[in-house]
Amino acid sequence: MKTATDAAIPYQQQAVGGTSPTDARVVQELQGGVATGVISVPLRYMHTPSEVVCIDDIQATIELVQEFCCRLRPDMDFTPT
């Protein structure tokens, strides 16, 4: 969220009760824990022939991932405190 805010990239938050229903949960718990994050593109009717997505949301997602990766440094620690 900080990266999106700093780079003026629009974003939305989604709450998921419990564990993530994605493969990220498996990676997060692998060998004692691995820093993991999930970024999703907002859409409707997932996994159907009429899936709908906004091109602007796809572009914002690409920009967010790119910006976040550019800000990563070798000395960053993602261990929860």
Side-chain angles (χ1 to χ4, degrees), residues 24-76:
R25 181 184 59 81
V26 177
V27 173
Q28 184 180 32
E29 297 171 350
L30 186 67
Q31 297 181 3
V34 176
T36 308
V38 176
I39 297 177
S40 301
V41 178
L43 56 88
R44 288 181 172 230
Y45 317 119
M46 182 185 287
H47 305 303
T48 72
S50 59
E51 187 168 313
V52 179
V53 65
C54 175
I55 298 297
D56 291 341
D57 288 337
I58 293 173
Q59 187 60 45
T61 303
I62 292 167
E63 291 171 11
L64 178 59
V65 171
Q66 178 183 3
E67 188 68 29
F68 181 79
C69 289
C70 287
R71 293 170 185 235
L72 289 174
R73 300 290 176 255
D75 62 337
M76 290 178 131

Side-chain angles (χ1 to χ4, degrees), residues 1-7 9 11-13 64 68:
M1 291 182 341
K2 180 171 177 15
T3 298
T5 302
D6 290 351
I9 300 169
Y11 69 93
Q12 301 174 36
Q13 290 181 282
L64 178 59
F68 181 79

Side-chain angles (χ1 to χ4, degrees), residues 9 14 22:
I9 300 169
Q14 176 187 12
T22 68

